[in-house]
Amino acid sequence: HARKKPQRHAKADDAERSALLADALRGLAAPQKALPCKWLYDEAGAALFGEITRLPEYYPTRTERRILQDRAAEIGTAAGPGAAVVEFGSGDGEKAAILLGGMPNPAAYVPVDIAPAWLDEASRKVAAVHPRVPVLPVLADFSRPFALPRALGAARRVGFFPGSTIGNFTPSEASTFLERARRTLGDRALLVLGADLIKDRDVLIPAYDDAAGITARFNLNLLARLNRVCGADFDLAAFRHCAKWNDAEDRIEMHLIARCSQTVTLAGRRFHLAAGESIHTENSHKYDPEKLGRLFAASGWVILASWTDPDRLFSVGLLHA
Ligand code: AVI
């Protein structure tokens, strides 16, 4: 037994290394260099993201939390007794605990996440607040097809997709995800979804380029991960963090900009960056209610209710299949 564990970790590490390497080799060879944003979340990245959610400039987390606190009872009434909450990307379990607090006698909490550490944290947090709710974690990439635990039986499923994580998908990926989520959750399903709204750049930009420099560290950590996991030789000091608003696509983009002309080596391949050239590391799409409505309709969801905060920063939708 004691021997098997390190081996399992070694396998997971190998799988992580080869997937990251393949994405990086492809992304760095593209005319606009890019790295998929899912790689931002190793242990250090997840901890930095946790810090981001507590920054004064980063309004989404606290705004959504407040909306959920205000609406949890309404959502619980719509769900009825004995429903199961399925969270896509478990986060730290805090928002799920709020949602479950409004639900009459929930059947289960099912966090779905690719990272075992996050599943554990969400499970522990929810179990501490709601000790009578069974927790049935699913280790899976929620952006791909996965099966729900059979133990859920015929319980009504309430999908939960908070944080505006939907915004990190392109609109077409978002639509594919929502359609698949509808099939996974099944008949009578509900979906509680948080989406960040289009707003003034003076609010948006600082949320992704904070004064304390935490988002910059979060972004640069992606290069540190490539160095650590894939043996790349990125000089972190030779890059700077940049957050910019793309008006045509309604999104914040994060980039890492080369401070000087340089060559980076990864798995024996050399990649040249001109001074000022960027590596695109994340999209965070912002929505307006009309665009959200079209996205939901295209993926087969019907809006039961949608709520926002007094400053119209963030929106939480309650949808049914
Ligand atoms: C996880 N996701 C919804 C965050 C966002 O706002 O797009 C990730 C993030 N990137 C920079 N700051 C936060």
Side-chain angles (χ1 to χ4, degrees):
H1 247 92
R3 276 197 188 150
K4 269 190 182 161
K5 252 194 169 173
Q7 232 175 25
R8 265 214 312 270
H9 283 301
K11 260 195 188 163
D13 289 350
D14 278 353
E16 175 200 328
R17 185 177 305 116
S18 55
L20 173 57
L21 182 60
D23 279 355
L25 289 174
R26 193 178 320 115
L28 293 174
Q32 165 63 68
K33 291 181 172 56
L35 295 166
C37 66
K38 69 173 176 190
W39 297 112
L40 289 164
Y41 303 90
D42 62 353
E43 219 180 292
L48 286 165
F49 178 65
E51 280 190 57
I52 288 174
T53 64
R54 294 184 289 274
L55 287 170
E57 295 98 327
Y58 195 74
Y59 59 86
T61 310
R62 61 171 179 272
T63 310
E64 183 183 48
R65 186 193 300 125
R66 188 66 210 271
I67 299 173
L68 288 171
Q69 279 162 345
D70 289 349
R71 304 297 175 172
E74 264 172 86
I75 297 170
T77 303
V85 171
V86 177
E87 184 171 16
F88 298 97
S90 59
D92 65 3
E94 195 204 345
K95 291 172 189 170
I98 296 171
L99 188 67
L100 285 160
M103 309 233 325
N105 205 7
Y109 168 56
V110 184
V112 182
D113 209 294
I114 198 168
W118 288 39
L119 275 184
D120 287 351
E121 192 178 340
S123 303
R124 241 180 295 121
K125 175 82 69 70
V126 167
V129 183
H130 303 288
R132 298 204 336 208
V133 178
V135 179
L136 307 171
V138 173
L139 186 64
D141 177 350
F142 66 77
S143 68
R144 315 261 299 263
F146 67 90
L148 288 175
R150 298 177 75 149
L152 287 185
R156 177 183 221 172
R157 276 79 154 148
V158 179
F160 187 39
F161 197 38
S164 197
T165 303
I166 191 87
N168 298 131
F169 290 142
T170 63
S172 112
E173 289 166 346
S175 160
T176 304
F177 166 79
L178 288 172
E179 226 177 289
R180 193 181 291 138
R182 190 171 47 77
R183 284 199 299 271
T184 305
L185 296 171
D187 288 345
R188 299 170 55 243
L190 299 180
L191 179 63
V192 178
L193 180 141
D196 197 10
L197 296 174
I198 297 171
K199 61 185 61 64
D200 208 287
R201 275 167 228 214
D202 298 347
V203 179
L204 278 170
I205 299 287
Y208 291 84
D209 193 5
D210 57 287
I214 307 296
T215 311
R217 282 169 57 199
F218 173 65
N219 199 3
L220 283 161
N221 176 60
L222 187 45
L223 302 185
R225 185 179 192 177
L226 273 168
N227 287 349
R228 179 174 54 81
V229 175
C230 301
D233 63 353
F234 283 101
D235 172 7
L236 271 59
F239 288 86
R240 68 177 177 84
H241 165 70
C242 163
K244 66 178 184 194
W245 175 247
N246 180 331
D247 203 38
E249 308 286 348
D250 291 337
R251 69 190 186 203
I252 287 281
E253 297 180 1
M254 289 206 315
H255 293 259
L256 289 165
I257 299 187
R259 292 183 191 270
C260 55
S261 159
Q262 56 193 288
T263 300
V264 174
T265 307
L266 172 64
R269 289 190 34 200
R270 289 157 67 82
F271 297 94
H272 182 72
L273 287 113
E277 187 178 347
S278 86
I279 305 174
H280 184 183
T281 52
E282 189 188 55
N283 289 319
S284 192
H285 291 83
K286 309 303 172 188
Y287 283 91
D288 59 32
E290 293 70 36
K291 207 165 161 188
L292 272 178
R294 286 198 297 276
L295 176 64
F296 297 151
S299 48
W301 289 96
V302 178
I303 302 178
L304 273 179
S306 105
W307 302 290
T308 185
D309 52 289
D311 298 320
R312 299 189 171 276
L313 297 174
F314 202 90
S315 140
V316 174
L318 174 62
L319 318 173
H320 77 78

